[in-house]
Amino acid sequence: MSSVPAVRLRDVVKRFGALTAVDHLDLEVPRGVCFGLLGPNGAGKSTTMRLLTGQAVADSGHVEVLGHELPGASREARSVSGVVPQVDNLDAELTVAENLEVFARLQRIPRAERDAAVRRGLEVARLVDRADTPAAALSGGMRRRLLIARGLIHGPQLVLLDEPTVGLDPQIRQQLWSTIAEIRSSGVTVLMSTHYIEEAERLCDEVAIMHAGRVVASGPPRDLITRSVGREVLEVAGTPTALADIEAAANAGGLRTRRSGTTVAVLDAERLDGQDWAQGDRRAPTLEDVFVVLTGEEMA
């Protein structure tokens, strides 16, 4: 495997007027992994993806995709990477197979190889039996699978998925997770942006948590969770006064807390040892706990 990372950003800044969408961002994605950019809307994830696809140009800093520096080598980078946009831009009037064939031509796949590429795309999308169906007649999940297959039509080394399951119901989302896992297992590097906690924990080998245009922490999900919030969380419900008392008791014992509505979560709860106030439901910590601890804000 090449020592050159799939993606490298160094001190990257992107502004839109007075808004700094990406703020001195440093990010490195190794090859052969599924890497997630996790954060709420407005964290800078989609702008970062646009910088990597050449749809936006950084105001300053260094952007590199598979060894190709952008924007100068954007054409070379596009030839070895695939893009699956957040917004569905399939041609609704064309059939499933025709959508794939158009992209095969745009990616300059030789004529003699196009039919085979389209067949592979139909298999990836699990739409072999829908090859002649107009895209307009597909369900939301089918359309998203077709978008993914279209992005893979030319056999890229890297695929960029911008919020791949946004707006889909949970059952369809899990079906797409299977498709993404299969792409990763084939050796293709996957970089995906998401604000779904479970999605990042389920699919990603590594995660970068983004906030206000920067990466505030990165690493394997389980490692991030353990070093940031411990191995167990105690959730306690109660009145505002009772929750304030629990927070004070936990903090006095060197434990961190986070308030959420009518509950307070006590982090590092594995350190609790029979305290009278420590009565509640114990659960495994999540990347959302990590995000709140690191940023002071809730995921939204």
Side-chain angles (χ1 to χ4, degrees):
M1 185 177 296
S2 173
S3 60
V4 177
V7 168
R8 179 185 286 141
L9 294 93
R10 289 286 180 267
D11 201 29
V12 172
V13 176
K14 179 60 181 177
R15 299 185 179 90
F16 297 97
L19 173 66
T20 301
V22 173
D23 187 7
H24 299 280
L25 175 64
D26 291 318
L27 179 69
E28 189 164 298
V29 178
R31 297 199 186 206
V33 302
C34 181
F35 194 103
L37 299 180
L38 176 66
N41 294 330
K45 306 187 303 299
S46 289
T47 299
T48 299
M49 298 295 270
R50 286 196 288 271
L51 291 170
L52 295 172
T53 59
Q55 296 172 286
V57 177
D59 297 317
S60 61
H62 177 84
V63 180
E64 188 178 297
V65 174
L66 295 166
H68 302 291
E69 188 169 353
L70 305 184
S74 293
R75 182 174 178 178
E76 292 83 353
R78 283 196 297 269
S79 71
V80 289
S81 57
V83 180
V84 180
Q86 179 177 340
V87 177
D88 182 341
N89 60 359
L90 294 169
D91 192 318
E93 296 182 358
L94 296 183
T95 67
V96 169
E98 288 168 344
N99 268 280
L100 292 173
E101 184 177 355
V102 166
F103 253 66
R105 292 180 179 178
L106 290 174
Q107 293 293 347
R108 300 185 178 182
I109 295 176
R111 183 187 299 273
E113 301 174 16
R114 284 179 198 159
D115 286 347
V118 170
R119 283 196 300 273
R120 287 194 301 271
L122 292 171
E123 291 170 358
V124 168
R126 301 173 192 166
L127 293 173
V128 173
D129 60 339
R130 298 293 189 105
D132 298 324
T133 300
L138 299 177
S139 67
M142 291 177 180
R143 291 173 69 91
R144 200 62 60 90
R145 292 204 305 269
L146 180 55
L147 280 169
I148 292 173
R150 191 186 68 178
L152 295 168
I153 194 74
H154 58 303
Q157 300 172 39
L158 166 71
V159 60
L160 303 166
L161 305 172
D162 190 10
E163 298 280 1
T165 65
V166 68
L168 300 178
D169 66 49
Q171 182 178 3
I172 295 175
R173 185 177 300 143
Q174 293 196 29
Q175 292 172 358
L176 280 174
W177 289 353
S178 176
T179 300
I180 294 169
E182 289 171 5
I183 295 169
R184 158 70 177 84
S185 66
S186 72
V188 176
T189 304
V190 177
L191 175 59
M192 58 183 288
S193 66
T194 182
H195 63 269
Y196 294 123
I197 299 294
E198 186 182 3
E199 186 162 88
E201 291 182 340
R202 180 79 65 89
L203 295 176
C204 298
D205 300 295
E206 298 186 38
V207 169
I209 296 178
M210 293 194 68
H211 176 63
R214 295 189 178 196
V215 170
V216 296
S218 63
R222 185 47 51 187
D223 290 353
L224 272 177
I225 290 168
T226 300
R227 73 172 185 252
S228 299
V229 296
R231 296 189 301 275
E232 195 172 48
V233 172
L234 176 70
E235 289 274 3
V236 185
T239 66
T241 300
L243 295 183
D245 290 341
I246 290 169
E247 287 173 325
N251 296 157
L255 300 175
R256 295 165 296 166
T257 60
R258 57 167 288 207
R259 183 80 71 93
S260 180
T262 59
T263 67
V264 63
V266 180
L267 310 179
D268 299 299
E270 67 274 9
R271 293 168 48 193
L272 290 169
D273 186 22
Q275 287 87 342
D276 291 340
W277 54 266
Q279 305 299 317
D281 297 323
R282 293 182 180 252
R283 63 167 174 82
T286 70
L287 285 173
E288 184 167 6
D289 296 313
V290 176
F291 181 83
V292 174
V293 165
L294 294 177
T295 69
E297 297 183 14
E298 298 283 343
M299 287 282 290

